Amino acid sequence: MNAYSDRVDRYLAVWNETDADARAAAVGALFTPDATYVDPLAEVRGREQIAAAIAGVQQTFPGHVLRPHGPVDGHHDVVRFGWELVPATGGDSVAVGFDVAVHDTEGRVRAVLGFLDKTPAAT
């Protein structure tokens, strides 16, 4: 399972990168050019749109980070893992979900299907 955990760590690091240029470079390295990301709140295609979706989450939840939540599981070119969005300084999660990511033969992400188990309360 170590290879799958490494993939998840790289994926979450991209979501936690706050520098726009560094994030774009990380998205470029991790995702295929035509990669897709779909969850109940977003449906995007391509590296530019994925980077923009990540930036949007960071703008909506400044000072928060994604961290692993629960076990990582995978087979073949597919990995599934839970995550939670928490304040970087510690505290309770504001969102919890799990993603299923499909990789190409070089280990780059081709598609992500996201599911939300806990969403932020409306204010």
Side-chain angles (χ1 to χ4, degrees), residues 23-95:
R23 183 174 51 249
V27 167
L30 183 63
F31 290 86
T32 62
D34 61 344
T36 58
Y37 176 89
V38 178
D39 72 19
L41 305 175
E43 183 175 352
V44 297
R45 175 179 295 278
R47 293 171 173 159
E48 188 174 304
Q49 289 184 7
I50 291 169
I54 294 168
V57 170
Q58 291 180 358
Q59 290 169 357
T60 303
F61 300 99
H64 287 71
V65 296
L66 283 174
R67 68 179 183 195
H69 183 71
V72 173
D73 186 25
H75 61 81
H76 297 84
D77 61 350
V78 179
V79 61
R80 71 175 174 168
F81 57 95
W83 53 263
E84 60 182 342
L85 183 65
V86 297
T89 57
D92 293 332
S93 62
V94 297

